[in-house]
Amino acid sequence: MVRWRNGSVMGIRAFLAMAILLNIPALAAEKVTVAQLESTVTLTLGKPDREAARKIDTLTLSERLSRERYKKLNAKLPGPRSRSALLVLADASAFLDLPAEDVSAMAAPGIDEQRAIVLRAVQFAANIADKMPNFYATRDTTHYQSIELPEKIAALDEPKKEPPKLELERTEPFQQVGRSLVTVIYREGRELIENKHRNVFTHEYEVENKGEFGELLGLVIPDMARSVIGWSHWEQGDTDLLAVFRFEVPKEKAHYLWSFCCIPSIDGQPQVFRNVAAYQVEIAIEPKTGSILRIAMKTEPENARVLEASEVVEYGPVEIGGMSYVCPLRNIVLYAARMHNISPNSGPDPHSASLISIAINRTVFQNYHLFRGDVHIVPDLPQPVPASEAEPKLNPDSQTRP
């Protein structure tokens, strides 16, 4: 299953960016908490938009910025540049823990109720294809990139017991380098991108997301049903508290496939990486209905060139044809891969220290409408969730947040 793809190698634009960055001294990003970010934004009141954007660009978060806090901060900023900088900062934090004050102090539910909540989520994933109507929607993806300098990433060559937290290693601001705007048709549980080959936004970066409308859940949720699931915490959703669980899937039991293209190899040719790897999951569930409203996957890549490949999908109620359905709202993919230095005359230099490309794909789903056309669609079918394998194994000792 291809999770996303950005085509045509890295393009001349990325090569030029690397050449320029090598001649610009890097400024270490200041790691801040969400509370410190709020104080910084308050200090930008009355400042020019460009100045506020420059200040936000120098920051990196150590905690996840919730949507509610993001909306409040966004409303305070002076213009589009600073708001764009805040958006990328929030996206880069999507795989971190919430601040302690954003985690509800309500006691964990009993083990029986935990099991019931998870079973509702398994059933929700199993029924999603049958309950969804035929519809189409707009998938708008923006691609951001930051290329790190060798002296700032040398430590990543050293053995680590845990995957590197690359969002904390970033020293260069993210720059928008591509965009994709396509129509997705969902019919009888199958997904098709309608105008993939007519997309005027993607001459250099062809971005392809796939599976948010059911296929992703059809892969991850069966893995969850076969895993030991630990209670994490309650967190505030848009209206009610959400039950958050965590689990890990070893490579030999994993079905979640990540794939991306392209990183230049030593000979300058594009390389496509595909891997079924071990991964860690955090899943937020509406406890009464079992609706899955957030699912975050952090993989453990075995390829030496790939340092991180993580994804989070947020779901929410969407009105289609006068009825409310739980559909994808946002998808964020964060990845990092080693890139060889670029020689102005001969291309990639195999003897140089590697640069690292850290990138974010941010996708927004909107403009949902009923689909009544007659279109022949033959993509791969999503894997169903067998009801017989839906009994989860909960960790009875996980009554507190890990």
Side-chain angles (χ1 to χ4, degrees):
M1 173 176 136
V2 177
R3 293 303 310 141
W4 59 268
R5 181 165 64 92
N6 69 338
S8 67
V9 197
M10 277 299 188
I12 296 175
R13 185 182 303 177
F15 287 175
L16 291 175
M18 281 185 272
I20 293 171
L21 287 175
L22 288 173
N23 296 310
I24 299 177
L27 297 176
E30 180 184 358
K31 189 195 316 182
V32 297
T33 65
V34 169
Q36 290 171 325
L37 171 64
E38 290 173 333
S39 298
T40 298
V41 170
T42 299
L43 294 175
T44 67
L45 295 177
K47 303 287 185 181
D49 185 32
R50 186 185 297 270
E51 182 178 336
R54 279 201 300 265
K55 181 58 181 175
I56 295 174
D57 276 338
T58 65
L59 305 178
T60 183
L61 281 168
S62 60
E63 303 167 320
R64 173 156 51 104
L65 182 62
S66 68
R67 287 216 313 260
E68 186 61 30
R69 286 183 184 249
Y70 164 77
K71 291 176 183 176
K72 292 179 180 178
L73 291 176
N74 188 65
K76 292 181 178 181
L77 291 171
R81 288 176 179 266
S82 54
R83 289 176 185 143
S84 177
L86 178 67
L87 179 60
V88 179
L89 188 66
D91 289 347
S93 77
F95 306 92
L96 302 175
D97 291 336
L98 287 169
E101 56 268 28
D102 287 1
V103 176
S104 172
M106 190 169 74
I111 194 69
D112 289 340
E113 179 57 21
Q114 290 182 33
R115 182 177 290 108
I117 293 171
V118 172
L119 284 173
R120 292 181 198 121
V122 172
Q123 196 61 48
F124 167 83
N127 294 339
I128 192 169
D130 293 333
K131 292 185 176 181
M132 295 295 288
N134 296 333
F135 64 86
Y136 64 93
T138 300
R139 174 186 281 151
D140 187 352
T141 301
T142 307
H143 183 81
Y144 301 92
Q145 186 179 39
S146 173
I147 299 175
E148 301 303 307
L149 300 178
E151 61 266 29
K152 295 298 180 182
I153 61 174
L156 292 177
D157 291 324
E158 300 173 1
K160 287 180 177 289
K161 295 182 180 180
E162 298 180 356
K165 293 184 178 295
L166 291 169
E167 67 274 4
L168 306 184
E169 302 287 345
R170 186 175 63 84
T171 60
E172 299 295 332
F174 282 99
Q175 302 292 331
Q176 181 176 330
V177 293
R179 188 181 179 195
S180 170
L181 185 62
V182 299
T183 298
V184 181
I185 297 174
Y186 185 85
R187 184 182 183 188
E188 298 176 358
R190 306 177 185 183
E191 183 180 320
L192 174 71
I193 298 177
E194 182 185 50
N195 54 339
K196 173 181 176 181
H197 301 296
R198 302 195 309 265
N199 185 1
V200 299
F201 292 100
T202 56
H203 294 294
E204 290 191 29
Y205 288 86
E206 183 185 351
V207 183
E208 180 181 54
N209 290 69
K210 180 180 178 183
E212 295 89 351
F213 294 94
E215 186 177 357
L216 171 64
L217 296 180
L219 294 174
V220 177
I221 299 306
D223 286 351
M224 178 181 76
R226 303 182 189 101
S227 302
V228 176
I229 307 163
W231 170 260
S232 182
H233 61 281
W234 294 104
E235 69 179 51
Q236 184 61 50
D238 288 341
T239 56
D240 300 307
L241 287 177
L242 303 179
V244 181
F245 295 85
R246 291 178 176 176
F247 61 96
E248 297 184 7
V249 182
K251 178 181 178 180
E252 61 271 16
K253 296 183 178 180
H255 294 87
Y256 174 72
L257 169 67
W258 60 266
S259 172
F260 68 87
C261 172
C262 301
I263 299 296
S265 62
I266 292 177
D267 60 6
Q269 297 302 309
Q271 283 188 307
V272 180
F273 296 101
R274 293 185 177 89
N275 193 218
V276 174
Y279 65 105
Q280 304 164 2
V281 181
E282 181 176 281
I283 185 168
I285 304 167
E286 202 290 315
K288 295 179 181 178
T289 65
S291 297
I292 298 169
L293 299 184
R294 183 177 184 271
I295 183 166
M297 288 76 61
K298 187 178 182 68
T299 66
E300 299 176 7
E302 297 179 349
N303 191 300
R305 295 287 300 281
V306 182
L307 297 171
E308 182 161 342
S310 301
E311 176 178 18
V312 60
V313 185
E314 296 178 354
Y315 300 84
V318 174
E319 184 176 321
I320 306 176
M323 300 287 289
S324 181
Y325 301 91
V326 176
C327 296
L329 300 178
R330 280 163 293 276
N331 179 18
I332 299 169
V333 174
L334 173 68
Y335 75 95
R338 296 181 185 274
M339 302 176 66
H340 292 285
N341 261 352
I342 303 299
S343 168
N345 299 320
S346 58
D349 179 1
H351 304 293
S352 67
S354 295
L355 296 169
I356 284 184
S357 168
I358 302 178
I360 294 173
N361 280 1
R362 183 180 200 277
T363 300
V364 176
F365 302 91
Q366 54 195 355
N367 301 323
Y368 283 85
H369 297 282
L370 281 178
F371 174 70
R372 297 185 176 90
D374 185 14
V375 178
H376 185 59
I377 305 174
V378 285
D380 294 335
L381 286 170
Q383 297 182 8
V385 180
S388 61
E389 298 182 2
E391 182 68 25
K393 298 182 286 296
L394 286 164
N395 183 353
D397 298 325
S398 61
Q399 298 296 309
T400 58
R401 185 178 186 181

